[in-house]
Amino acid sequence: MLIRLLRSHLPPYRRPISLILLLQLVQTLAALYLPTLNADIIDRGVVTGDTKVILQLGGVMITVTLAQICCSVGAVYFGARTAMALGRDVRASVFDRVQTFSARELGHFGAPSLITRTTNDVQQVQMLVLLSFTLMVMAPIMCVGGIVMALGQDVPLSSLLLAVVPVLGVLVMLLARRMRPLFRTQQQRLDTVNRVLREQITGIRVIRAFVKDDYERERFDRANAELTEVSLSTGRLMAMMFPAVMTVVNVAGVAVLWFGAQRIDSGGMQIGALTAFLAYLMQILMSVMMATFMFMMVPRAEVAAERIQEVLTTETSVEPPTAPVRKLERHGHLELRGAGFRYPGAEEDVLRDVDLVARPGETTAIIGSTGSGKTTLLDLVPRLMDVTAGQVLVGGVDVRRLDPALLARTIGLVPQKPYLFSGTVASNLRYGNPDATDEDLWHALEIAQAKGFVERLGVEGEVGSGLDAPIAQGGGNVSGGQRQRLAIARALVRRPEIYLFDDSFSALDYSTDAALRAALARETAEATVVIVAQRVSTIRGADRIVVLDEGRVVGTGTHQELMLDNDTYREIVLSQLTEREAAA
């Protein structure tokens, strides 16, 4: 998976990668040439007392060293730029893929896992690529070159390499094999910590309201302890690796000095050659240590790449049409024909054989008990999910054939849980229409009964006021009713042909609810309005009321008609109103 991910994202950077390889080759060859020069200085200059040779070879060493430094700096510079660019591209790819997901795929992965995959997992791959450009490219060149140069200094002494290098290789491979499953578990437990922390921050009010502070603290401590446990196991293996490698390196150095001294004593080797051989041995073993460090990173990066690829290879269940329809003939007409929906792995359908027609200039209300499928039905219209049976038609065209941009312009959805983005009131409202003027925004706020509180926002020491008043992430600095009204205003700014209100008035008091619905009726007189509501007073004046029960339509008609012949609707109404109020 790691190779596949890199193969798909690195091709645009072939030129800088080629330059990195060239710079690393030059600097490694320079590093390999320096011990030979040092040996020549000792044997031809120091031993013989020839100062001229020392100065000449010293000048060459300085030149070679400067070339090595320049190439090393250049390789690190271009390597860092390429690795960071790769991380940027992978994050963008993950983000773009997630944007295509329907609610089904988002529910499968979960927000905490997607955040970890987009940030921490990408960072692991990015770090591996950076180290590959700065260390891994140089390691094999230095290892092979070091062996060749060591053979050039003394062949018999080079036999020590036949024992040292395989021992290091086997040691590294054994430790790397044990690390890989630990890194996978570590990433999964990091997901768990993120999920628990996200839940606790989001649900802090619920935790305090039910005095669950101790329970949630224990839950976080447990998730944190599990992550700590696997991290410690990984850390122990990593801690073992370097001492083990250094032990082999030091033992090899002692062996070279021992046997090298005997070779010098017998006249088979010069002092300079021994010094150079020892330097080459250190270079060979350092290259193995660099490879060791890479092997420590590779298992974790492989796991991260698998998790990233899982997102990138997941196809959305809401596929864009191959030949999209870009123009509607019947504006504002919404129809469901035998629509059904079942979640993956579920035993039963959430919706079954739903037939519904909503026309321009009419208000269609949907009511039913909790879990009857009202929100799911509304989500099918803008293709947050696709039907698993039947059809959803907008303007007489199946939504699966419509151009996504056209469908988005045609529909204005106010979700059950309105979400506001960090920014200002104006920036949130212009999500509906980026070109809306301030007058358009104030008009929408007035219809949504939000003008009064928006005018007061930010006047008491806050930065900005009115439309420029700050909005915290998720709308945390405004009340639930204010969030709902701002979400309604955002939909009104869009001026769509079809309005979908998913229980969007539940947090409003009765007087505000009544005033908003009256203003909304005038504003949307020529549009199609579909309202999902639990509150009977919100929908009793609708032109058509559709009653859902366990995913099926069990009644359609006006309030008066349904009160007479639909037991399910009558039961819902009488749970909220008296007989006299219901008949009024």
Side-chain angles (χ1 to χ4, degrees), residues 216-476:
E216 291 298 329
R217 190 177 294 109
E218 290 175 4
R219 194 159 73 101
F220 180 78
D221 288 344
R222 187 164 54 251
N224 201 18
E226 290 174 351
L227 176 60
T228 302
E229 180 184 355
V230 71
S231 298
L232 286 174
S233 299
T234 306
R236 291 188 191 103
L237 286 176
M238 294 173 68
M240 287 174 57
M241 186 171 287
F242 281 109
V245 170
M246 288 306 300
T247 299
V248 175
V249 169
N250 291 327
V251 169
V254 171
V256 167
L257 289 174
W258 177 267
F259 292 107
Q262 294 179 5
R263 293 276 298 159
I264 292 173
D265 186 55
S266 64
M269 188 178 190
Q270 293 183 322
I271 296 175
L274 176 61
T275 305
F277 189 91
L278 192 59
Y280 286 128
L281 176 65
M282 291 301 107
Q283 286 183 341
I284 294 168
L285 298 181
M286 284 300 296
S287 67
V288 175
M289 286 186 64
M290 287 189 287
T292 299
F293 189 73
M294 289 299 302
F295 276 118
M296 290 165 52
M297 297 293 299
V298 168
R300 190 169 188 178
E302 283 183 343
V303 172
E306 287 178 8
R307 287 158 53 85
I308 293 168
Q309 281 292 105
E310 188 179 359
V311 175
L312 295 178
T313 56
T314 298
E315 296 295 334
T316 177
S317 56
V318 179
E319 297 179 358
T322 53
V325 176
R326 303 183 187 279
K327 186 177 180 180
L328 294 176
E329 299 296 335
R330 302 169 64 186
H331 293 282
H333 191 274
L334 170 64
E335 182 179 1
L336 276 74
R337 295 180 184 171
F341 181 80
R342 175 182 294 191
Y343 286 100
E347 296 181 358
E348 297 182 0
D349 292 343
V350 178
L351 294 172
R352 296 181 296 278
D353 300 321
V354 175
D355 294 314
L356 182 151
V357 177
R359 302 180 180 87
E362 296 182 350
T363 298
T364 301
I366 302 172
I367 195 170
S369 58
T370 301
S372 58
K374 304 184 296 298
T375 296
T376 302
L377 187 152
L378 227 56
D379 287 345
L380 298 176
V381 180
R383 295 196 73 193
L384 299 181
M385 299 179 290
D386 270 344
V387 290
T388 53
Q391 290 180 299
V392 177
L393 298 96
V394 170
V397 181
D398 193 314
V399 292
R400 290 170 290 192
R401 295 176 50 216
L402 278 176
D403 178 59
L406 174 60
L407 182 62
R409 291 195 303 270
T410 305
I411 293 170
L413 171 65
V414 182
Q416 187 175 22
K417 296 179 180 178
Y419 189 88
L420 301 179
F421 298 90
S422 57
T424 64
V425 172
S427 66
N428 272 277
L429 295 185
R430 286 196 171 99
Y431 266 85
N433 180 6
D435 300 323
T437 64
D438 286 356
E439 290 74 16
D440 294 333
L441 302 186
W442 282 117
H443 177 69
L445 290 169
E446 186 175 5
I447 299 298
Q449 308 302 303
K451 183 178 181 180
F453 82 80
V454 169
E455 288 176 334
R456 295 190 298 272
L457 279 178
V459 297
E460 298 179 0
E462 295 283 352
V463 179
S465 59
L467 292 176
D468 296 323
I471 296 294
Q473 180 183 356

Side-chain angles (χ1 to χ4, degrees), residues 64-83:
V64 172
T65 301
L66 289 175
Q68 179 190 8
I69 292 173
C70 292
C71 291
S72 178
V73 171
V76 171
Y77 174 77
F78 289 107
R81 285 182 60 89
T82 305

Side-chain angles (χ1 to χ4, degrees), residues 144-159 161 277 280:
V144 174
I147 292 172
V148 172
M149 297 299 284
L151 286 169
Q153 295 297 324
D154 191 81
V155 175
L157 199 57
S158 300
S159 59
L161 300 175
F277 189 91
Y280 286 128

Side-chain angles (χ1 to χ4, degrees), residues 19-36:
L19 182 58
I20 292 167
L21 293 175
L22 177 62
L23 291 172
Q24 289 285 29
L25 176 62
V26 172
Q27 78 124 339
T28 305
L29 292 177
L32 290 169
Y33 187 41
L34 288 174
T36 299

